[in-house]
Amino acid sequence: MKKLAAVTALMFAAITGLATQETQAANINCGNIYANAGINSAMREYGGIQIPDKVCKLLKDNKLALDFTGDVSVIQGVSVGWSSLRVMDRNTGYHSTYSMSQTYVDKKLVSMNRAQELVYFSIEDLVKDFDFRRAVKEVGEMRSGKFGG
């Protein structure tokens, strides 16, 4: 289990570093959402992700976007799907330091298809549990130079 945690942490660090390779996510009800290839693939496979209307309005009113990162893999006989979420200012590149990550594993159904399903579940849970107001406020403070002070 320690090996799985270490490998998952390494995958998270490696993929998070690929922020310059983000692309607009497909099949989303709310504009201004960016995701890496692993997340885009899961969203296409499962028909997108529904973002609550009030969250869409909050993002649009503040000229912000959601930034998803994540991936899928099969490691040592375990299906793994993980994702992380933060808010970003598309004009300045500021990202909230507030973020959330979710990882799901399955030892019984071991396949890339199952891992893809797990990453999709992780995205759904992030959207449900994320404190959007906190992240939006933080980016607003960054814009004004008041962050951390």
Side-chain angles (χ1 to χ4, degrees), residues 7-42:
V7 171
T8 301
L10 286 173
M11 285 184 350
F12 178 78
I15 293 178
T16 301
L18 298 176
T20 57
Q21 295 182 4
E22 294 168 341
T23 57
Q24 186 104 27
N27 299 318
I28 306 293
N29 71 314
C30 181
N32 298 323
I33 298 175
Y34 288 81
N36 70 339
I39 298 296
N40 265 326
S41 177

Side-chain angles (χ1 to χ4, degrees), residues 119-138:
V119 79
Y120 186 76
F121 294 153
S122 74
I123 297 164
E124 286 184 319
D125 284 348
L126 286 178
V127 169
K128 181 177 66 177
D129 297 333
F130 194 80
D131 187 345
F132 293 100
R133 291 194 185 284
R134 176 180 171 184
V136 167
K137 180 181 177 195
E138 188 179 280

Side-chain angles (χ1 to χ4, degrees), residues 2-129:
K2 288 181 182 179
K3 286 183 183 181
L4 177 60
V7 171
T8 301
L10 286 173
M11 285 184 350
F12 178 78
I15 293 178
T16 301
L18 298 176
T20 57
Q21 295 182 4
E22 294 168 341
T23 57
Q24 186 104 27
N27 299 318
I28 306 293
N29 71 314
C30 181
N32 298 323
I33 298 175
Y34 288 81
N36 70 339
I39 298 296
N40 265 326
S41 177
M43 287 186 187
R44 276 193 300 275
E45 177 73 23
Y46 293 96
I49 193 84
Q50 292 299 309
I51 308 297
D53 290 339
K54 65 182 180 179
V55 171
C56 291
K57 182 174 177 9
L58 180 66
L59 294 171
K60 288 176 185 177
D61 288 351
N62 289 280
K63 298 180 175 93
L64 298 172
L66 296 180
D67 183 17
F68 288 97
T69 303
D71 210 354
V72 299
S73 63
V74 174
I75 303 170
Q76 296 181 354
V78 177
S79 299
V80 179
W82 69 269
S83 63
S84 68
L85 173 60
R86 57 191 178 163
V87 170
M88 69 178 268
D89 180 320
R90 291 175 41 189
N91 295 325
T92 65
Y94 293 139
H95 280 84
S96 62
T97 59
Y98 170 74
S99 65
M100 287 185 70
S101 296
Q102 183 67 51
T103 302
Y104 286 113
V105 298
D106 188 335
K107 295 178 183 179
K108 294 180 182 177
L109 275 170
V110 181
S111 70
M112 288 302 285
N113 287 342
R114 178 60 175 160
Q116 184 118 356
E117 184 178 40
L118 294 174
V119 79
Y120 186 76
F121 294 153
S122 74
I123 297 164
E124 286 184 319
D125 284 348
L126 286 178
V127 169
K128 181 177 66 177
D129 297 333

